[in-house]
Amino acid sequence: MTDAEIEITADLVHDLLQEQHPDLAGLAIREVAGGWDNQMWRLGDELAVRMPRTEGAPGLQRKERRWLPALAPRLPLPVPTPVRTGEPSARFAKPWTIMTWVPGEPLDHSSISRGDHAADTLAGFLRALHVEAPVDAPVSEDRGGHPKECTDGFDHFFQAVVPDDLAGDVRAVWDDAVAAPDWEGPPLWVHGDLHPANVVVSDGTLSGVIDFGAMFAGDPAWDLAAAWVVLPAGAASPFFDVYAHADKATIRRARGLAALKSLFLMLMGQNGDRGLPGGKPTWGPAGRAALDRVLRGDLV
């Protein structure tokens, strides 16, 4: 998963800043735990440096640099926006980005105590984001389509982590999503990767959304799955009431995708507990809690 050609250290980040953005090189540099495609370093109080560490990460950063400046001004929650670009050099052969820092604690390290407020906040954010995308908007090779296109991935996660006593219920949720009608509207802007590590919390509610590297034009159900994956128990129904643009078919697809995402989080948590590369120990409990919310099925 990671590129081991060069170790990314605070000294390296400082040297790159000194070479390319010397006016920022005097700011404190602190490593930020987590991340998948990128390793992040906080720069002072208001900025962050995102250093790519997977083969696909530079492309994801280019996507964010291209589209976030246009999207961010109309979004009602803080999101990271690019302010400087780091060019490939002899010290580091990939492009890198300086972004604004979004304050708050990632949800996989925190919790939401104000569920109704968080539901309203997330619904307002997604209503603002989910507008028709331009014809040149990015598309995704592995997300954005109907759940029936993801059956292989679902089956893999299902076999890896679903407890035997839940297997029938989980399979029923997924089968219902696969049977739901397709999205019939135009492709909408979609974050594409809303889960507990990609939202931040302050004062018991959502305060920001991060990591737009997966964003694409497609079916909004991929984001609406966050009603179960991100929000606490009992918040899905008020969320959809406020969002107000999801028909029954979209909610069915979203619930199935929430099951898929929950299983993925559980698998990454399992890998983290085993010390495997790419594993995220904090994702396991978050995924299991999300799966429990999915299975309550209060909207179906």
Side-chain angles (χ1 to χ4, degrees), residues 56-83:
L60 302 180
Q61 288 200 18
R62 284 192 291 270
K63 189 195 307 185
E64 290 181 314
R65 291 199 297 265
R66 167 68 178 85
W67 294 106
L68 274 176
L71 292 174
R74 60 179 177 80
L75 298 177
L77 282 176
V79 301
T81 53
V83 296

Side-chain angles (χ1 to χ4, degrees), residues 154-163 263 266-267 270 274:
F154 176 83
D155 288 342
H156 171 69
F157 301 148
F158 182 91
Q159 295 296 331
V161 298
V162 171
L263 300 184
M266 291 168 65
L267 180 57
Q270 183 182 96
R274 295 173 177 175

Side-chain angles (χ1 to χ4, degrees), residues 6-22 24-32 39-44 48-52 91-92 96-98:
I6 186 169
E7 183 182 5
I8 302 172
T9 65
D11 288 341
L12 173 63
V13 174
H14 177 267
D15 290 347
L16 293 173
L17 289 169
Q18 189 67 54
E19 291 174 0
Q20 300 190 32
H21 301 283
L24 302 178
L27 296 175
I29 300 171
R30 290 160 285 170
E31 185 173 5
V32 179
Q39 184 172 346
M40 189 158 66
W41 298 78
R42 191 164 180 183
L43 181 63
V49 181
R50 299 186 77 197
M51 303 292 292
R91 292 295 309 275
F92 191 75
W96 44 281
T97 309
I98 301 173

Side-chain angles (χ1 to χ4, degrees), residues 66-139:
R66 167 68 178 85
W67 294 106
L68 274 176
L71 292 174
R74 60 179 177 80
L75 298 177
L77 282 176
V79 301
T81 53
V83 296
R84 305 278 185 94
T85 298
E87 300 297 337
S89 66
R91 292 295 309 275
F92 191 75
K94 297 176 180 179
W96 44 281
T97 309
I98 301 173
M99 314 280 285
T100 56
W101 174 259
V102 178
E105 187 76 6
L107 182 55
D108 62 322
H109 290 274
S110 185
S111 63
I112 292 172
S113 58
R114 300 163 61 197
D116 287 345
H117 188 280
D120 290 351
T121 301
L122 181 61
F125 176 84
L126 292 181
R127 283 187 59 144
L129 175 63
H130 290 170
V131 299
E132 185 171 351
V135 294
D136 58 341
V139 295

